[in-house]
Amino acid sequence: MVGAIFDAQHRGSPSYESERGRRRFVDRPIVLRVLLAAAATLFSRGASAYAVSAGDAVKYYAKALRGAANLSPDGGSSATFQRLARLHYKAVLFRRKGDFTKASIVYQHAMEFHGRQTPKSDEVPRAAVAAHAALNLALTEQARKNIETARQTFQDGVAQVQEILRSEHQAWIDSCNQIRLCCSSAGTQQQFAADGLRPALQWLATLLTAWALMETKHGRVLAGRQLCARAAQLDSSKAQVLRWNCMHPSRDEEAVAGAPVACREP
């Protein structure tokens, strides 16, 4: 059974239903608009060092989506999918060169692209695409040592994915913290398979798990464990992370004492 969404009970806690988070995504700050303008300038240069072929970009992007993309047998893809692929592949090239600032700009552009009323890609659920973009932007901000920005990116990404689930999959969380679908109980499994809801939830769980690991790394062990537990309810494969040493309840005292919390498998 797909399970509960974390219900924050105090300010600063991670929350799926954060109205504050949704407003921050909708009302982008001025600095983000400046960054997006910089991204447009970057793309217009057409420097050969960052030119990528559609084939290379699509191949990379399909693999990065971890099974969520369903390409046609002949290898063809829609214009929307190719545009997304080029964006993410350009960001990867910047990261490989150690230029995390430009990579961050491209990933922010990708998140903004998902937030607009753009044509849907036939190959992959939009919720999975949004979660993937938010994950990579957050990881890039961590590499830049911008932990608060990374945390906000995780929160905004989760809020954005939630909105997409509501609008495109008619899926929401009820008062008992269960996923509800606009269909009969007999048709639930068919809808999960037919409209891409399952891969969307799996990617949401991946986003939550990465957020959880970041929190534990920076001393917020309890918040990390709660996030990971919710991820495990969305995707059972994430339950194994709860057994990692950094998720053990004993680490709470170490975090309070200021000791570093290293994360590794048992």
Side-chain angles (χ1 to χ4, degrees):
M1 179 79 62
V2 179
I5 282 183
F6 182 55
D7 185 13
Q9 298 181 355
H10 56 83
R11 184 179 180 182
S13 296
S15 171
Y16 277 136
E17 296 297 325
S18 172
E19 183 64 32
R20 185 165 165 245
R22 286 198 295 271
R23 285 200 306 271
R24 282 178 176 171
F25 174 73
V26 175
D27 300 325
R28 288 291 185 181
I30 294 177
V31 65
L32 178 55
R33 298 182 185 278
V34 173
L35 288 173
L36 293 177
T41 301
L42 176 66
F43 297 148
S44 67
R45 290 176 182 172
S48 58
Y50 302 109
V52 297
S53 70
D56 289 341
V58 167
K59 182 179 179 181
Y60 158 77
Y61 192 48
K63 183 178 180 180
L65 287 168
R66 303 178 186 177
N70 184 22
L71 300 182
S72 62
D74 61 2
S77 56
S78 65
T80 299
F81 190 84
Q82 289 184 29
R83 181 178 178 184
L84 290 168
R86 286 180 182 274
L87 276 174
H88 285 273
Y89 195 46
K90 282 183 178 181
V92 167
L93 293 180
F94 283 131
R95 289 177 64 176
R96 289 175 181 172
K97 291 178 177 291
D99 195 337
F100 293 102
T101 299
K102 289 182 180 177
S104 177
I105 291 173
V106 177
Y107 282 131
Q108 289 180 60
H109 184 71
M111 284 193 69
E112 188 76 6
F113 179 77
H114 306 319
R116 298 193 298 265
Q117 294 297 320
T118 53
K120 292 173 58 178
S121 168
D122 297 329
E123 295 86 355
V124 62
R126 198 159 69 95
V129 169
H132 176 262
L135 172 64
N136 281 281
L137 175 56
L139 294 177
T140 300
E141 292 301 330
Q142 287 185 67
R144 299 176 67 198
K145 310 301 182 183
N146 295 333
I147 304 306
E148 287 301 323
T149 301
R151 181 175 290 119
Q152 187 60 57
T153 299
F154 277 123
Q155 182 176 342
D156 289 350
V158 168
Q160 184 183 23
V161 172
Q162 283 284 98
E163 290 298 328
I164 295 172
L165 290 176
R166 291 189 188 95
S167 63
E168 296 189 4
H169 300 278
Q170 292 75 53
W172 68 95
I173 307 302
D174 66 13
S175 59
C176 296
N177 295 319
Q178 301 295 318
I179 288 286
R180 294 298 181 186
L181 304 174
C182 186
C183 65
S184 65
S185 58
T188 299
Q189 293 301 321
Q190 289 85 343
Q191 183 169 345
F192 260 63
D195 68 356
L197 181 57
R198 188 177 300 280
L201 292 173
Q202 289 172 336
W203 260 105
L204 180 55
T206 297
L207 184 63
L208 280 168
T209 302
W211 186 0
L213 293 174
M214 186 195 77
E215 296 295 3
T216 59
K217 182 179 179 181
H218 294 279
R220 301 184 66 189
V221 181
L222 177 59
R225 194 163 59 246
Q226 290 172 322
L227 283 166
C228 192
R230 272 52 188 187
Q233 291 177 314
L234 294 170
D235 180 358
S236 60
S237 69
K238 301 298 187 288
Q240 61 181 325
V241 180
L242 286 168
R243 298 192 292 270
W244 292 11
N245 69 314
C246 60
M247 293 290 177
H248 195 276
S250 64
R251 294 288 182 169
D252 292 339
E253 295 182 3
E254 295 180 27
V256 170
V261 179
C263 212
R264 63 177 183 274
E265 298 181 45

